[in-house]
Amino acid sequence: MRWMWIDRVVELVPRQKLVAIKHISLAEDHLHDHFPAADGREALPVMPASLIVEGCAQTAGILVGHAEEFREKVILAKVGRFELERDAFPGQTLRYTAAIQQMDKVGAATSGTIELLEHGPTGTTVAVVGRIDLMFSHLDNNMSGEKFPEHNFVFGESFKTLLRSSGVAGAW
Amino acid sequence: MTRDEIFAKVRDVLVDALAVDEDDVKLQSRLTTDLGAESIDFLDIVFKLEQQFGFKIAQGELFPENVAQDPEYVKEGKVTAKGLTALKARLPHADFTKFEADPQISKVAEVFTVDTLVTFVERKLAAK
């Protein structure tokens, strides 16, 4: 399994905002373990909140990485706030919007919203179901001065494929 | 802005950044050992102070930067006399008096208290 928790970048305003979507599918194995039927209780496949955080972090991380053309190793360093008001189920779509609040050589602070898109017979309804504040560290400029491998192990092939398939141009 | 007003705003920043109770934030509280700040929290505090007070804080202006990697400044885990002189010059808002007695680099973060932040903001606003 690839560790990609967004399917497509749908909007990018460099250094400001990135919007990505994640379709939830029953073909994803983890949904069958979260939660399986047990003790007389029916199975309840729900998108794990931890993976929603990861999707938000990938959305915001790409935005922060893109700002410096992916030269920086952008690492999620802190979840300052995460609120989720509703569960997300297979067949629904999550839409993550990330915005850079502050950024310098050491890292960046972002804020984000989580929307749930419900696809019904008469169209798609959209509801804001969560908010998230994240902090990212530019690993090579970390405050401790610790050294890391030169190659950018954060933004690997999976990320490049995602950006290419989303039509995000770049020389990286 | 009075020192008390600055303290109240700095306390709000720390409550938000470190998820601590307002009552736990006292002038003498150390950011790390008393309030639980970890390395990324220092960047969070810098960002939130910038937002709260409307000024820009340069890298290394509030907290020390890459001191441990300079062999002239740190030898065998301790900050050298040259290192201490540099730290004091770069960070005039911090009080290194206690640290000088046992200048282990691993304890340099303990120098930074709520009072350090208040003094930093006070100086920064005065210089505006």
Side-chain angles (χ1 to χ4, degrees), chain B residues 11-126:
Chain B
R11 186 179 56 201
D12 289 347
V13 162
L14 295 173
V15 166
D16 191 16
L18 305 177
V20 289
D21 286 339
E22 197 176 292
D23 294 344
D24 292 336
V25 183
K26 299 179 170 51
L27 272 176
Q28 68 274 19
S29 307
R30 289 168 295 188
L31 300 184
T32 51
T33 46
D34 293 328
L35 300 180
E38 296 177 7
S39 61
I40 192 63
D41 294 320
F42 286 89
L43 179 62
D44 200 4
I45 291 166
V46 165
F47 280 165
K48 286 185 163 62
L49 286 175
E50 287 181 340
Q51 282 186 326
Q52 180 71 264
F53 293 100
F55 51 56
K56 191 81 191 144
I57 301 171
Q59 198 176 345
E61 186 183 351
L62 174 55
F63 300 118
E65 180 191 16
N66 295 348
V67 176
Q69 275 60 50
D70 192 326
E72 282 202 40
Y73 291 168
V74 178
K75 280 199 176 98
E76 294 166 358
K78 291 200 171 189
V79 179
T80 61
K82 192 173 181 180
L84 265 169
T85 305
L87 280 172
K88 285 182 192 171
R90 283 187 214 165
L91 311 168
H93 46 279
D95 181 359
F96 288 93
T97 313
K98 280 186 191 165
F99 178 73
E100 278 181 291
D102 182 21
Q104 293 182 53
I105 186 66
S106 59
K107 292 188 173 176
V108 72
E110 293 178 23
V111 167
F112 294 89
T113 62
V114 176
D115 187 70
T116 314
L117 300 183
V118 172
T119 303
F120 174 82
V121 171
E122 205 174 23
R123 295 171 72 111
K124 192 96 175 152
L125 291 176

Side-chain angles (χ1 to χ4, degrees), chain A residues 8-12 18-21 95-96 166 168:
Chain A
R8 188 173 178 82
V9 174
V10 294
E11 186 184 354
L12 170 62
L18 190 141
V19 184
I21 53 171
R95 184 161 64 198
Y96 307 132
S166 300
V168 178

